[in-house]
Amino acid sequence: VSTQSTGDEDESSFQLVDTSKPQRSLYQRSRARYQNRRNQRPTQRVQDPKTGRMTVIPRYNNMRRNNWNNRDNKSQVKLKSSVEVRKDWELQVEIEFSQISKLHLSYPEKDITNLVECGTLEHYDKRYDRITTKAERPLQISNRLFHYVSTTDDPIIRELVKEGHVFATDSILATIMTCPRSYYSWDIIIQRVGSRLFLDKRDDSDFDLLTVNETANELPASEGGSNSLNKLSLEATFINQNFSQQCLKREQKHFKRPNPFLNDEDDNEPSSVAYRYRKIPLAGPGEPYTLICRTEVDAVTTNASGEEQLMNIKALNEWDLKAGASEWRQKLDTQRGDILTTEMKNNKCKLAKWTVSSILAGADLLKFGYVTRSMPRSSGESIGHSILGTQQFYPKQFAAQISLDMNNAWGILRVIVDKCMQLKDGKYVLYKEPSKGVLRIYKVPLNTFEEDNE
């Protein structure tokens, strides 16, 4: 399955294609190119940020409930495991979500320091805030290059290895910190080396693909059709990448160091991105640890006072069109709160991960775009997409809206780190089984997954 385009100007040519020979999306190709070069290196009421006005967004009343015992009404969809648990894997730790759902670790964000900032950001185009359902815009294909580099492949992480004890990316940390909301399967590689802990994702995994309707009462079908889990995930990732670049102006903000993942062999223009390597003290009971995290920011904007603000840009997409009609086109301008509430219910894990990543990065704003399908007029045309509107939040206030307790998130991370620090030197896998509210840590042979990439 792959995302393909046949035009350069707009996104109307988007299509999902099944072929006998698997094709990789742009983000997979960019990561593969980087991976090939790897071995050549040495070892309530919320204030609207735009207007200052106070707005009310309906709260999803059941966000705080642990729904693991209330999911029997979901359609019987067979979910795939993210990784095969092999016979030679040794179970070390098992943690049920009920054990960590009430953890609490107060964290003073003033103690976070920026060690390195690099990359180039473009300014957000505020004209996109004026888009409505009556003045929608087609989603365009940018063909920009996105890098999805894991922790131990990062040359700057290697430079900072003496600065901390735990090393990870914001996407990996967000997955752990929001794990009680997850329903699909995922896994993270853990390497314990002396007093240090490295958290990685597997090469060629689907870790960076966005989930769709993960927490809805009825899941998408696991196979078949354009609305299957895998194709919807590819579509959501495709939309998110292109929207995040389309709504930018060419005005650039350069950081002191360039993007560390650029290469002269890359044919595509790099996406707008800044990497902030942040030093985060992990306090709490027991030995204190220092966390080094690579975080990402998508864009920069200015407020009414002319001050620069860092922004993350994400896309929510409508895919389940009833009888070919878009509910968002009918209701977004007048009932946006209801639509967002439905997204909070159906995609609360994805929204929580975006929010945690924004808070870890120190982003001032979190921008959402509402994107829907533009159905083809004839059988020969492919599915397109249209932007219907945008909405903006302060990450910490949005966390409160989705009942995301950051103190609990920090507590979960601290417990996982403590469990891993009690393990002997070696290689481990942190595994979330599909549809089960439990985490397991397995000890695996040192060459696990490496032979898969040879």
Side-chain angles (χ1 to χ4, degrees), residues 56-60 63 132-133 213 315-321 325-348 350-351 354 368-372 388-391 393 398 401-402:
V56 178
I57 295 179
R59 180 185 293 271
Y60 174 46
M63 281 282 185
T132 66
T133 58
N213 275 37
L316 300 170
N317 64 293
E318 182 188 33
W319 56 272
D320 189 13
L321 304 187
S326 165
E327 183 180 10
W328 287 12
R329 279 193 173 92
Q330 300 172 13
K331 298 182 178 180
L332 186 64
D333 290 345
T334 57
Q335 302 177 48
R336 184 163 305 186
D338 292 341
I339 290 176
L340 182 58
T341 299
T342 301
E343 289 298 300
M344 290 178 182
K345 174 180 178 292
N346 294 341
N347 294 289
K348 67 178 181 178
K350 177 169 66 177
L351 288 170
W354 285 345
F368 292 131
Y370 292 89
V371 180
T372 190
L388 303 181
T390 63
Q391 197 166 6
F393 298 93
F398 188 70
Q401 285 298 305
I402 61 175

Side-chain angles (χ1 to χ4, degrees), residues 22 41 66 152 156 195 238 298 337 339 348 359 376 395 426 429-430 433 435 440:
R41 297 195 214 101
N66 185 337
T152 52
I156 295 183
S195 61
F238 172 92
D298 297 323
I339 290 176
K348 67 178 181 178
I359 291 174
V429 172
L430 175 64
E433 188 175 348
S435 74
R440 296 186 177 95

Side-chain angles (χ1 to χ4, degrees), residues 271-298:
S271 60
S272 169
V273 64
Y275 299 103
R276 309 180 84 195
Y277 295 80
R278 313 194 84 195
K279 187 174 184 178
I280 305 173
L282 277 180
E287 183 177 350
Y289 298 113
T290 300
L291 169 66
I292 305 298
C293 177
R294 185 191 76 219
T295 65
E296 296 185 22
V297 179
D298 297 323

Side-chain angles (χ1 to χ4, degrees), residues 41-53:
R41 297 195 214 101
T43 293
Q44 301 161 348
R45 289 174 61 84
V46 178
Q47 187 179 30
D48 189 320
K50 296 184 295 183
T51 65
R53 297 177 181 174

Side-chain angles (χ1 to χ4, degrees), residues 17-288:
V17 180
D18 281 317
T19 62
S20 58
K21 181 179 180 181
Q23 302 179 38
R24 291 180 294 180
S25 62
L26 180 60
Y27 96 90
Q28 290 171 318
R29 295 198 302 271
S30 67
R31 184 177 175 201
R33 284 198 295 268
Y34 185 84
Q35 186 64 30
N36 290 336
R37 299 194 298 270
R38 167 187 177 189
N39 297 327
Q40 300 173 6
R41 297 195 214 101
T43 293
Q44 301 161 348
R45 289 174 61 84
V46 178
Q47 187 179 30
D48 189 320
K50 296 184 295 183
T51 65
R53 297 177 181 174
M54 301 301 290
T55 60
V56 178
I57 295 179
R59 180 185 293 271
Y60 174 46
N61 294 326
N62 295 324
M63 281 282 185
R64 291 187 179 274
R65 283 172 38 190
N66 185 337
N67 288 325
W68 287 102
N69 295 323
N70 300 314
R71 298 196 177 202
D72 293 338
N73 61 338
K74 285 198 169 186
S75 58
Q76 298 300 313
V77 176
K78 185 177 180 180
L79 299 176
K80 294 182 179 179
S81 175
S82 65
V83 67
E84 178 188 358
V85 178
R86 305 177 186 179
K87 293 181 179 180
D88 57 350
W89 292 14
E90 301 174 9
L91 180 63
Q92 305 291 308
V93 179
E94 185 171 287
I95 305 172
E96 293 187 4
F97 286 173
S98 59
Q99 298 175 275
I100 57 179
S101 60
K102 301 297 182 183
L103 293 176
H104 186 279
L105 177 63
S106 298
Y107 187 79
E109 293 187 28
K110 60 182 179 60
D111 293 336
I112 297 179
T113 56
N114 294 322
L115 298 178
V116 177
E117 293 181 310
C118 51
T120 301
L121 290 179
E122 294 180 0
H123 281 254
Y124 175 71
D125 188 344
K126 296 181 180 180
R127 291 178 298 178
Y128 278 78
D129 292 335
R130 298 195 292 269
I131 292 178
T132 66
T133 58
K134 295 180 176 58
E136 62 184 60
R137 289 198 185 187
L139 185 70
Q140 298 175 348
I141 297 174
S142 68
N143 284 325
R144 286 186 167 188
L145 189 63
F146 292 81
H147 296 95
Y148 295 88
V149 181
S150 193
T151 308
T152 52
D153 293 336
D154 189 328
I156 295 183
I157 289 288
R158 295 174 183 175
E159 292 178 18
L160 302 174
V161 71
K162 294 183 179 180
E163 295 286 341
H165 306 95
V166 184
F167 302 83
T169 65
D170 55 357
S171 60
I172 291 174
L173 293 183
T175 299
I176 294 174
M177 295 169 76
T178 63
C179 65
R181 296 173 179 240
S182 62
Y183 194 73
Y184 297 153
S185 180
W186 50 265
D187 61 276
I188 292 169
I189 296 176
I190 300 169
Q191 298 189 68
R192 174 76 194 275
V193 184
S195 61
R196 293 181 173 86
L197 204 65
F198 296 89
L199 308 181
D200 267 310
K201 58 189 177 184
R202 286 184 297 110
D203 296 336
D204 300 324
S205 71
D206 291 337
F207 189 88
D208 294 302
L209 291 179
L210 298 178
T211 60
V212 177
N213 275 37
E214 179 174 3
T215 53
N217 288 332
E218 294 197 12
L219 301 178
S222 57
E223 296 179 356
S226 61
N227 289 343
S228 64
L229 277 175
N230 180 259
K231 291 183 179 180
L232 287 174
S233 186
L234 287 169
E235 181 183 11
T237 306
F238 172 92
I239 291 170
N240 198 74
Q241 289 178 342
N242 287 286
F243 173 73
S244 70
Q245 303 305 301
Q246 179 177 339
C247 61
L248 303 177
K249 298 185 292 185
R250 290 296 180 173
E251 300 175 19
Q252 294 184 331
K253 173 182 174 62
H254 297 278
F255 288 85
K256 291 184 178 180
R257 296 179 60 167
N259 186 324
F261 311 123
L262 296 183
N263 188 277
D264 294 337
E265 299 175 1
D266 293 331
D267 297 326
N268 297 84
E269 180 185 8
S271 60
S272 169
V273 64
Y275 299 103
R276 309 180 84 195
Y277 295 80
R278 313 194 84 195
K279 187 174 184 178
I280 305 173
L282 277 180
E287 183 177 350

